[in-house]
Amino acid sequence: MPWGSTVEDAKKAGYKLKKKDSGGDKVWLEPVDAYSAVSKDKLVNSLNLYYYNGKLFLAIEKVQMVNDLSKLESRYGRFEERGIKPVKKRYNDSVLNDNGKVLYYSISIVPKDDGTVDTMQNDWNVLKEIDRTMQKFTDRSNGVAGAHSLKPCDSRKGYFDLPWGSTVEDAKKAGYKLAKIDSHSELWLHPVDAYEAFSRDGNVMSLSLYYYKGKLFHAMEFVKIEYARSALEARYGDFKKNGINEKPNINRYTDWVLTSKGKLVFQSIYIGQNDDGVVSASMYDWDVYKTLDKLTHDRIDKDIAVPAVKNVDTTRPSLPLEDFAKKLVNSGDGKISTYAVLNFSSDLNNADYEEYVTNILTSSLFATGAVKIVERANLKRILKEQNFQASGLVDERTAKAIGKISGADYVCCGSINDMGQKIAISARVIDVETGEICAMSRDTIMKDEYLLGFSSKK
């Protein structure tokens, strides 16, 4: 069966087909149909065929065969002629560029200890376009249209060739491959759609695009470039011209504008470096982002930063946690420490309630000027990947492990008890190095208008 043949061609060739789950959008960027197939070949234990737009592009088989080169070649052809080489415990014909990105890959043969062989064969020109995993490992520079122009990004206007306000269809027309992902609704005041995006830019390790009411307003990328001003300016534009300044106390570059009280007036870009040397950059359409992001919404100067999205109450007084936060910070030695703030648990067991209080405390900790904060989105991703509990009910041992993985010096966690018109909040800070509690704070605080909307416990 040649690549591009149809289901009917397979049936005519004597294969009996039964439709099966293809893996859906967790595996593919485009709709794919999959079939289990039964053939007359007695060596074949199982065979699955995959079709895109009705055309065959992938076959995965398990055959009864020992790991013997002559037997493998009798089935799959002369390895030397096909460019098939041993790679660890398998054989494949992959061709890589100098950066380890895949230029070509059509077969993978994996001998098993039970005397069987698993083999995947594919039409590379199709697989590289629609397989989600391959998007991350493929050299996109010479095959996929659409990526960054030669001009540096102007975060006030958009993400490279995708202007703020553009649509998902605009991104697709520009050549980006998109796959829908979790937007982490707990971070937003209104529903937001998020997509993992793939382009031909070989420096980009990960790119996420966020849309509100179908319009692009936020992009977050992780890129392999040097964390030096010259290299950053080559990608994000002239810092002086764009108002981007270095913030040595947090080791970040940003164009934020603050009031004398530390409230945000404007911000369109935030550039940092992870512990593994990868540069992270968040870019925003400020007029939209400031009214959607919960943490940012509580940090803006509402007398200056007029919201662009309707039906968002920006006049309510924020929960007063500034003094509470100061008790959790050790700033005596002048060292800027990194805090990972876990979601506080509550007796209401309401995620929005808990997230809201946690976000304000996080903002209040940052406002002390004595700490750096592990970004909430990154922390949530780490907790999810490591299957850690994300609430304030963690023990010291778990908190220590979370801190080490997230790169934090301290982990802050705690609980909230609802008391009708007030909340009782309790927090502790755990030293990641020693696992000991180094700071604690307890207080009873009047609710703001937002928290009053939640039912108090009976």
Side-chain angles (χ1 to χ4, degrees), residues 138-406:
T138 303
D139 184 333
R140 322 287 315 160
S141 60
N142 295 310
V144 179
H148 310 148
S149 64
L150 295 176
K151 295 181 179 179
C153 177
D154 185 345
S155 58
R156 296 164 298 181
K157 297 179 180 179
Y159 176 77
F160 292 93
D161 52 353
L162 299 178
W164 301 134
S166 59
T167 66
V168 169
E169 286 305 312
D170 292 331
K172 291 180 178 179
K173 289 177 182 177
Y176 291 86
K177 300 288 185 180
L178 302 182
K180 200 161 189 181
I181 57 176
D182 182 8
S183 68
H184 294 291
S185 59
E186 69 274 8
L187 300 177
W188 310 103
L189 291 169
H190 289 269
V192 166
D193 293 318
Y195 295 83
E196 185 176 11
F198 308 95
S199 77
R200 69 183 179 201
D201 188 331
N203 289 320
V204 176
M205 299 178 65
S206 172
L207 170 63
S208 301
L209 302 176
Y210 296 80
Y211 294 80
Y212 173 65
K213 292 187 175 180
K215 306 290 185 177
L216 180 67
F217 75 95
H218 174 36
M220 176 181 288
E221 68 172 10
F222 294 86
V223 291
K224 278 187 175 180
I225 58 174
E226 184 182 3
Y227 194 63
R229 180 160 179 160
S230 58
L232 297 175
E233 285 189 314
R235 187 170 186 84
Y236 303 113
D238 186 291
F239 280 11
K240 184 175 181 181
K241 180 180 178 181
N242 294 340
I244 300 174
N245 298 299
E246 184 178 11
K247 306 299 178 184
N249 62 319
I250 58 173
N251 192 30
R252 296 289 188 271
Y253 291 91
T254 180
D255 63 349
W256 70 26
V257 179
L258 305 177
T259 67
S260 58
K261 295 183 178 180
K263 291 289 186 178
L264 267 173
V265 176
F266 175 82
Q267 183 179 30
S268 75
I269 190 167
Y270 189 79
I271 307 168
Q273 184 183 36
N274 296 345
D275 291 338
D276 57 5
V278 175
V279 172
S280 62
S282 290
M283 290 157 273
Y284 331 95
D285 179 349
W286 173 246
D287 284 337
V288 179
Y289 186 82
K290 69 187 178 185
T291 60
L292 294 175
D293 180 75
K294 287 184 178 180
L295 182 57
T296 298
H297 185 263
D298 291 312
R299 293 186 58 222
I300 62 175
D301 188 313
K302 300 178 178 63
D303 293 328
I304 300 176
V306 181
V309 180
K310 295 180 180 180
N311 301 322
V312 177
D313 180 12
T314 60
T315 61
R316 68 170 186 265
S318 180
L319 198 65
L321 292 178
E322 290 84 356
D323 292 338
F324 183 85
K326 290 177 182 178
K327 298 175 184 177
L328 300 173
V329 174
N330 178 19
S331 57
D333 56 4
K335 178 184 175 182
I336 303 296
S337 301
T338 301
Y339 277 50
V341 184
L342 305 184
N343 262 18
F344 277 42
S345 60
S346 77
D347 51 355
L348 290 187
N349 292 318
N350 185 294
D352 290 336
Y353 176 95
E354 293 160 1
E355 184 79 15
Y356 178 76
V357 176
T358 305
N359 280 342
I360 294 181
L361 177 59
T362 302
S363 179
S364 299
L365 283 167
F366 183 78
T368 64
V371 303
K372 294 186 292 184
I373 301 292
V374 177
E375 291 187 27
R376 299 279 290 154
N378 287 344
L379 183 59
K380 287 178 180 293
R381 175 179 56 81
I382 290 168
L383 294 173
K384 184 176 181 180
E385 289 175 352
Q386 300 296 325
N387 292 319
F388 278 126
Q389 187 173 323
S391 78
L393 297 175
V394 300
D395 57 26
E396 284 73 20
R397 183 177 179 180
T398 303
K400 184 177 179 180
I402 292 172
K404 287 190 173 181
I405 294 173
S406 66

Side-chain angles (χ1 to χ4, degrees), residues 429-444:
V429 175
I430 299 170
D431 188 319
V432 170
E433 187 65 30
T434 65
E436 298 177 348
I437 297 175
C438 58
M440 296 183 69
S441 185
R442 292 185 177 87
D443 205 349
T444 302

Side-chain angles (χ1 to χ4, degrees), residues 17-145:
L17 303 182
K18 182 179 181 181
K19 200 160 188 181
K20 66 186 295 289
D21 181 15
S22 70
D25 57 11
K26 292 182 179 179
V27 179
W28 309 108
L29 296 172
E30 302 288 346
V32 166
D33 292 319
Y35 296 83
S36 58
V38 178
S39 76
K40 297 177 182 179
D41 189 339
K42 294 182 179 180
L43 290 177
V44 177
N45 289 351
S46 66
L47 171 63
N48 296 312
L49 304 177
Y50 294 78
Y51 295 79
Y52 171 59
N53 284 338
K55 303 298 177 70
L56 179 68
F57 75 95
L58 172 65
I60 300 175
E61 68 174 6
K62 177 181 282 290
V63 294
Q64 200 70 40
M65 184 177 292
V66 296
N67 184 14
D68 179 85
L69 183 59
S70 62
K71 292 183 181 297
L72 294 175
E73 287 188 322
S74 68
R75 186 171 185 85
Y76 302 112
R78 293 272 298 171
F79 280 14
E80 184 175 355
E81 293 175 2
R82 291 195 59 180
I84 299 174
K85 312 171 293 295
V87 181
K88 296 183 179 180
K89 295 183 179 182
R90 66 187 64 203
Y91 302 88
N92 67 47
D93 63 349
S94 63
V95 179
L96 309 180
N97 66 14
D98 292 338
N99 295 321
K101 293 285 187 177
V102 181
L103 295 169
Y104 180 79
Y105 176 64
S106 75
I107 188 169
S108 174
I109 304 169
V110 186
K112 299 293 186 178
D113 294 335
D114 61 359
T116 62
V117 173
D118 291 344
T119 303
M120 183 188 82
Q121 300 181 77
N122 64 83
D123 180 347
W124 172 246
N125 288 328
V126 178
L127 185 78
K128 69 179 181 181
E129 300 300 330
I130 63 175
D131 184 282
R132 284 190 64 162
T133 301
M134 291 310 301
Q135 297 295 314
K136 298 180 180 180
F137 300 109
T138 303
D139 184 333
R140 322 287 315 160
S141 60
N142 295 310
V144 179

